[in-house]
Amino acid sequence: MKKNAFYAQSGGVTAVINASACGVIEACRKNKDKIGKLYAGENGILGAIHEEMFDTSKEKASEIKLLMQTPGGIFGSARYKLNDINKNRAEYDRLIEVFKAHNIGYFFYNGGGDSMDTCHKVSMVGKELGYPVICIGVPKTVDNDLPITDTSPGFGSVAKYTAVSTIEATLDVASMAKTSTKVFISEVMGRHAGWIAASAGLAGVNGIKTPHIILFPEIPFDQTSFLNKVKHSVDSDGFCVVVVSEGVKNKDGSFLSEVSNKDAFGHTQLGGVAQVIAQLVQSNLGYKYHYAIADYLQRSARHIASKVDLDQAYAVGAHAVTLALQGKNAVMPTIKRLSDSPYRWKINHTSLSRVANKEKKLPRSYISKDGFSITKSCERYLRPLIMGEPDQKFANGIPRHAKLNFYKVAKLINKKFVLE
Amino acid sequence: MKKNAFYAQSGGVTAVINASACGVIEACRKNKDKIGKLYAGENGILGAIHEEMFDTSKEKASEIKLLMQTPGGIFGSARYKLNDINKNRAEYDRLIEVFKAHNIGYFFYNGGGDSMDTCHKVSMVGKELGYPVICIGVPKTVDNDLPITDTSPGFGSVAKYTAVSTIEATLDVASMAKTSTKVFISEVMGRHAGWIAASAGLAGVNGIKTPHIILFPEIPFDQTSFLNKVKHSVDSDGFCVVVVSEGVKNKDGSFLSEVSNKDAFGHTQLGGVAQVIAQLVQSNLGYKYHYAIADYLQRSARHIASKVDLDQAYAVGAHAVTLALQGKNAVMPTIKRLSDSPYRWKINHTSLSRVANKEKKLPRSYISKDGFSITKSCERYLRPLIMGEPDQKFANGIPRHAKLNFYKVAKLINKKFVLE
């Protein structure tokens, strides 16, 4: 009997995670003779645990195609890491119980390092319980911190957003600097790795020097050299654009954003790092500043996604199905770079154990000696990832997104599962 | 003898102010038989006062055309309002002196209400001094607060950015809400008028209810009803999207953002209003939040500009030249709406005295009874302004912007002018 398949989205979503969903769904549809129905978990892995699943096979092909243009996680994601298998084996057993009840033989898990670990463990538990499930990871993370793969789908689009926003804001502040704002600070995501901050370095082309300063989580913050560089930039160019990673740390390893403020009500609150930097600039140099915190806007900005990223997100989804049908288990599709310029790549795969819980940081060789900008080799790596502007349909002046019907799969297990 | 012309950009720049510049430049080029050279002020009106001007006539036509795709103020803008004419007549006299020295008979001033006032006064001073200059205002402001004209070029593009960002971030937070962020707050510009905040109301289409709450400067903030509405939204939809105008005020008229914080160093700092709202939500309801402050990113986002806005920005620039050649003086081109759907408009004009220093606020009838959303009539007004996606050329993964040579005009006056 044909086995059904299960797909779930995990962790922070991206502008193109639904393109991976589209890849999985379309590949399953093309292989109807081998794979039964493809169910999607409502709110990620929680959907399997609670038996809350959508039957994707009933959705219209045209709306599935629109997933290519729809940011966020269409089926709901979850920031939920399964417990340590030795401490809470019950969660894993429950997953297999649900899979068995619904005749699910394929598990596609779309997430980052943590999720790859979970996916790996599920494959082992299934085997042990005599219900083997083919478990394939589908890589995703704006942080670009998965090892082995050339890049992680989701990153290229945030990188493009960051580069584009930086050049646009630079043109703005450059025209205001004479009589108004002299320092513009843009805070970007990246708690542990500076890949997104680094991508701002792609903004400077055609002789436009921007950003003047990038602050990376990998480089301990040095207030004196930072302020000197701000002053120097204003003196020579009339203004200074600073891109700061949310994860920038002091020399003692504490986050810069940990400066605690008391508000008028006596509440302690954490300011964003952009505000800390702005305050430093103002109190030491007296320049007028503005700051932006794009937050979710950066990772959901499908309207300015990278075509390379979108293509890769789709490809890893589709290839996950190919791998499953080849009987590969506990693997993840990876992107292998064949050349920088023109950028050529192909899909490979690696075992989940090699990617689980590992973090790829920005190498020191990608950061300039003074710690404030990217090197040529970093640009060679990053530039291809932001290339191309994919289609985006609009209706009523805003992007046209997928409208699914979300057909619920009938529950077959007469027992609720309570999470620890 | 043919007179030369002078063009200057004023105040906060926009994604499309350079499209107006393009309109003025191209129209002057088409009328070479009547208008001599078109000079542009470096840093706006300061360029005239200090005799720092660029000769636009030498720039390549293809790069001038790329101004249509280039945000910010290409010649530099200035936040500089000429002094009261009775108190510092010298500034006006100096302007006329420079215009006379360079045989400038046409003054095109691209700005908001303040600039229209200045433009008007320059026309009067010129007449008095026996050197009449034809002064034409070119409307511009993201705040959409100029009277008489249907809209102000620059606004439609911020409105589109805001609507698009809001729907994209909504899709993101909707997928995270089950296990993570439940309240997303987006701070937008608008110190006195809520037009930009209102445009977020265009995000909700196809049955997607977003934003749940808009906070307008026109509606005094009511903490209890706000928190009730947040709770209700999370209870019914699982999450809540709040769009807050930077200019939201307490009942006593003070800005919400005036809550003063003391940081670790004892400095007082002004938090953004997004942070104040986030803090309120967390301390009263305990929901996990994220907030974004797009700041300059919103008004420089040419990559997601409105085609209607871009067309209008060009049209008011080009029509300013037509008006000048018709001998009209102290006037500003306006946009007249002929129908909502399909949106049809034409260019009219009005006298500068009617628009100078006047502010058009969001009418109460555009805001729902509870004060948290827009009405159908508001949507009818706003929707056309965000329609259409204009061309945007890319190179190296980022937008291709105009590269001008900025040919300096030789100084003819042997005397520096010192501003008061």
Side-chain angles (χ1 to χ4, degrees):
Chain A
M1 195 175 89
K2 279 192 301 190
K3 295 276 190 188
N4 295 319
F6 175 76
Y7 166 80
Q9 303 179 318
S10 179
V13 293
T14 80
V16 301
I17 184 172
N18 289 331
S20 293
C22 182
V24 172
I25 294 169
E26 292 192 345
C28 284
R29 288 182 176 198
K30 274 184 205 143
N31 290 284
K32 270 185 193 155
D33 53 325
K34 301 176 202 98
I35 298 175
K37 289 181 172 182
L38 174 65
Y39 300 145
E42 180 173 9
N43 299 311
I45 197 75
L46 296 177
I49 290 174
H50 298 309
E51 225 191 334
E52 304 278 0
M53 299 184 290
F54 304 116
D55 184 353
T56 70
S57 62
K58 295 180 182 168
E59 302 287 351
K60 272 170 66 177
S62 56
E63 295 297 322
I64 293 298
K65 187 51 90 184
L66 277 170
L67 288 175
M68 296 294 285
Q69 307 192 9
T70 307
I74 189 80
F75 303 113
S77 186
R79 281 209 184 279
Y80 183 76
K81 187 169 156 64
L82 262 61
N83 275 306
D84 187 299
I85 195 162
N86 300 314
K87 288 191 189 138
N88 191 350
R89 168 71 185 232
E91 285 182 346
Y92 296 86
D93 291 350
R94 168 70 175 195
L95 270 185
I96 298 299
E97 183 189 9
V98 172
F99 287 174
K100 205 168 170 180
H102 291 275
N103 188 37
I104 289 164
Y106 307 95
F107 172 35
F108 300 107
Y109 203 26
N110 204 170
D114 278 0
S115 309
M116 296 306 119
D117 182 50
T118 301
C119 194
H120 184 215
K121 282 172 183 155
V122 171
S123 77
M124 295 189 296
V125 173
K127 228 176 283 175
E128 272 178 45
L129 293 179
Y131 187 81
V133 176
I134 287 187
C135 297
I136 314 280
V138 183
K140 166 244 67 164
T141 168
V142 295
D143 293 326
N144 201 38
D145 58 2
L146 286 170
I148 301 171
T149 184
D150 185 49
T151 181
S152 311
F155 169 68
S157 294
V158 182
K160 189 179 185 95
Y161 172 93
T162 302
V164 172
S165 298
T166 302
I167 183 68
E168 288 182 334
T170 296
L171 295 174
D172 188 308
V173 69
S175 54
M176 301 306 296
K178 181 74 183 176
T179 56
S180 181
T181 304
K182 286 194 170 40
V183 179
F184 177 73
I185 299 147
S186 174
E187 176 178 326
V188 299
M189 287 179 158
R191 204 107 185 112
H192 304 293
W195 293 105
I196 299 178
S199 65
L202 301 175
V205 291
N206 300 327
I208 294 183
K209 211 168 66 188
T210 191
H212 298 86
I213 300 176
I214 303 176
L215 299 174
F216 302 94
E218 288 86 354
I219 306 288
F221 182 69
D222 178 332
Q223 183 172 323
T224 308
S225 64
F226 167 72
L227 290 171
N228 283 343
K229 178 99 181 175
V230 172
K231 185 168 184 320
H232 177 77
S233 304
V234 173
D235 286 347
S236 64
D237 294 344
F239 66 100
C240 179
V241 172
V242 180
V243 173
V244 53
S245 182
E246 59 176 339
V248 169
K249 294 177 197 72
N250 294 302
K251 273 161 201 153
D252 65 6
S254 62
F255 286 114
L256 239 72
S257 57
E258 277 171 35
V259 174
S260 72
N261 303 312
K262 295 260 182 203
D263 67 16
F265 314 106
H267 303 132
T268 295
Q269 51 182 57
L270 291 180
V273 65
Q275 215 178 333
V276 174
I277 294 292
Q279 191 61 33
L280 269 180
V281 167
Q282 204 195 29
S283 48
N284 289 280
L285 300 170
Y287 296 136
K288 186 178 176 194
Y289 64 80
H290 262 244
Y291 63 85
I293 304 174
D295 194 67
Y296 283 175
L297 307 189
Q298 74 200 280
R299 74 176 198 195
S300 65
R302 172 58 184 83
H303 74 272
I304 187 68
S306 148
K307 182 163 192 317
V308 163
D309 188 38
L310 187 75
D311 290 347
Q312 291 180 337
Y314 183 88
V316 294
H319 197 71
V321 177
T322 305
L323 291 170
L325 290 174
Q326 289 170 353
K328 299 275 195 309
N329 196 356
V331 295
M332 179 190 93
T334 56
I335 295 150
K336 184 171 168 57
R337 181 180 298 225
L338 303 174
S339 67
D340 289 333
S341 179
Y343 184 49
R344 292 185 308 116
W345 54 277
K346 65 170 192 171
I347 298 282
N348 263 0
H349 65 274
T350 188
S351 75
L352 288 174
S353 60
R354 292 190 64 206
V355 288
N357 292 320
K358 291 200 180 76
E359 246 179 21
K360 179 175 71 178
K361 297 208 178 184
L362 199 61
R364 188 60 184 84
S365 64
Y366 278 13
I367 303 174
S368 64
K369 249 189 193 158
D370 71 358
F372 291 135
S373 54
I374 61 170
T375 57
K376 283 278 165 209
S377 61
C378 184
E379 179 171 356
R380 259 195 309 278
Y381 166 71
L382 288 173
R383 181 72 64 188
L385 307 180
I386 69 162
M387 295 300 285
E389 296 72 45
D391 286 342
Q392 172 79 66
K393 284 193 181 65
F394 282 77
N396 294 313
I398 62 172
R400 168 84 168 84
H401 296 130
K403 271 175 74 176
L404 302 191
N405 286 310
F406 298 106
Y407 302 97
K408 272 284 183 100
V409 176
K411 293 194 182 190
L412 299 176
I413 304 178
N414 206 359
K415 181 175 90 204
K416 281 205 173 175
F417 186 84
V418 181
L419 291 176
E420 285 232 326
Chain B
M1 196 177 88
K2 279 190 303 188
K3 295 276 190 188
N4 297 318
F6 175 76
Y7 166 80
Q9 303 180 317
S10 179
V13 294
T14 80
V16 300
I17 184 173
N18 290 332
S20 293
C22 182
V24 172
I25 295 169
E26 292 192 344
C28 284
R29 289 182 176 198
K30 274 185 204 143
N31 290 283
K32 271 185 193 157
D33 52 326
K34 302 177 202 94
I35 298 176
K37 290 183 172 180
L38 174 65
Y39 300 146
E42 180 173 9
N43 299 309
I45 197 74
L46 296 178
I49 290 173
H50 298 308
E51 226 192 335
E52 304 277 1
M53 300 185 289
F54 304 115
D55 183 353
T56 70
S57 62
K58 296 181 182 166
E59 301 287 351
K60 272 171 65 179
S62 56
E63 295 298 322
I64 293 298
K65 187 51 91 183
L66 277 171
L67 288 175
M68 295 295 285
Q69 308 193 9
T70 307
I74 190 80
F75 303 112
S77 186
R79 282 208 184 280
Y80 183 76
K81 188 169 155 64
L82 262 62
N83 276 305
D84 186 299
I85 194 161
N86 299 314
K87 287 191 191 141
N88 191 350
R89 168 71 186 234
E91 285 182 348
Y92 296 86
D93 291 351
R94 168 72 174 192
L95 270 185
I96 298 300
E97 183 189 9
V98 172
F99 287 174
K100 205 169 169 180
H102 291 273
N103 188 36
I104 290 166
Y106 308 96
F107 172 34
F108 301 107
Y109 203 26
N110 203 170
D114 278 0
S115 309
M116 296 307 119
D117 182 49
T118 300
C119 195
H120 184 214
K121 283 173 184 154
V122 170
S123 76
M124 295 189 298
V125 173
K127 228 175 283 174
E128 275 178 43
L129 293 179
Y131 187 81
V133 176
I134 288 188
C135 297
I136 314 281
V138 183
K140 167 244 66 167
T141 167
V142 295
D143 293 328
N144 201 38
D145 59 1
L146 285 170
I148 302 171
T149 183
D150 185 48
T151 181
S152 311
F155 169 67
S157 294
V158 182
K160 189 179 186 95
Y161 173 93
T162 302
V164 171
S165 297
T166 302
I167 183 68
E168 289 182 335
T170 296
L171 295 174
D172 188 308
V173 69
S175 54
M176 300 307 296
K178 182 73 183 179
T179 55
S180 181
T181 304
K182 286 192 169 47
V183 178
F184 178 73
I185 299 147
S186 175
E187 176 179 326
V188 298
M189 287 180 158
R191 202 104 185 116
H192 303 294
W195 294 104
I196 299 177
S199 65
L202 301 175
V205 291
N206 300 327
I208 295 183
K209 212 167 65 188
T210 191
H212 298 86
I213 300 175
I214 302 176
L215 298 174
F216 302 95
E218 287 86 354
I219 305 287
F221 182 69
D222 178 331
Q223 183 172 323
T224 307
S225 63
F226 168 72
L227 290 170
N228 283 342
K229 178 99 182 179
V230 172
K231 186 171 183 320
H232 176 77
S233 304
V234 173
D235 287 347
S236 64
D237 294 344
F239 66 99
C240 180
V241 172
V242 181
V243 172
V244 54
S245 181
E246 59 176 341
V248 169
K249 295 176 196 72
N250 294 300
K251 273 162 200 152
D252 65 6
S254 62
F255 286 114
L256 239 73
S257 57
E258 278 171 36
V259 174
S260 71
N261 304 311
K262 295 259 184 202
D263 68 16
F265 313 106
H267 304 132
T268 295
Q269 51 182 58
L270 292 179
V273 65
Q275 214 178 335
V276 174
I277 293 291
Q279 190 61 32
L280 268 181
V281 166
Q282 202 194 31
S283 49
N284 289 278
L285 301 170
Y287 297 135
K288 187 178 175 195
Y289 65 79
H290 261 244
Y291 64 84
I293 304 173
D295 193 66
Y296 283 174
L297 306 191
Q298 73 200 280
R299 74 177 196 194
S300 65
R302 172 58 184 84
H303 75 271
I304 187 69
S306 148
K307 183 163 192 318
V308 163
D309 188 39
L310 187 74
D311 289 347
Q312 292 180 337
Y314 183 88
V316 294
H319 196 71
V321 177
T322 305
L323 291 171
L325 291 174
Q326 289 170 352
K328 299 274 197 306
N329 196 356
V331 295
M332 178 189 93
T334 56
I335 295 150
K336 185 172 167 57
R337 182 181 297 227
L338 303 173
S339 68
D340 289 333
S341 180
Y343 182 51
R344 292 185 309 116
W345 54 279
K346 66 170 192 173
I347 298 283
N348 264 2
H349 66 273
T350 189
S351 74
L352 288 175
S353 59
R354 292 188 64 206
V355 289
N357 292 319
K358 291 201 181 75
E359 246 180 20
K360 179 175 73 178
K361 296 209 178 184
L362 199 62
R364 188 61 184 84
S365 64
Y366 278 13
I367 303 173
S368 65
K369 250 192 193 156
D370 72 357
F372 291 136
S373 54
I374 62 169
T375 57
K376 283 278 165 211
S377 61
C378 184
E379 181 172 355
R380 260 197 307 279
Y381 166 71
L382 288 174
R383 181 71 65 188
L385 307 180
I386 69 162
M387 295 298 285
E389 296 73 45
D391 286 343
Q392 173 79 67
K393 284 192 181 64
F394 282 77
N396 295 313
I398 62 173
R400 167 82 168 85
H401 296 130
K403 269 175 75 177
L404 302 191
N405 286 310
F406 298 106
Y407 302 95
K408 272 284 182 98
V409 177
K411 294 193 181 191
L412 300 175
I413 304 178
N414 205 358
K415 182 177 88 204
K416 280 205 175 178
F417 186 84
V418 182
L419 291 175
E420 286 235 325

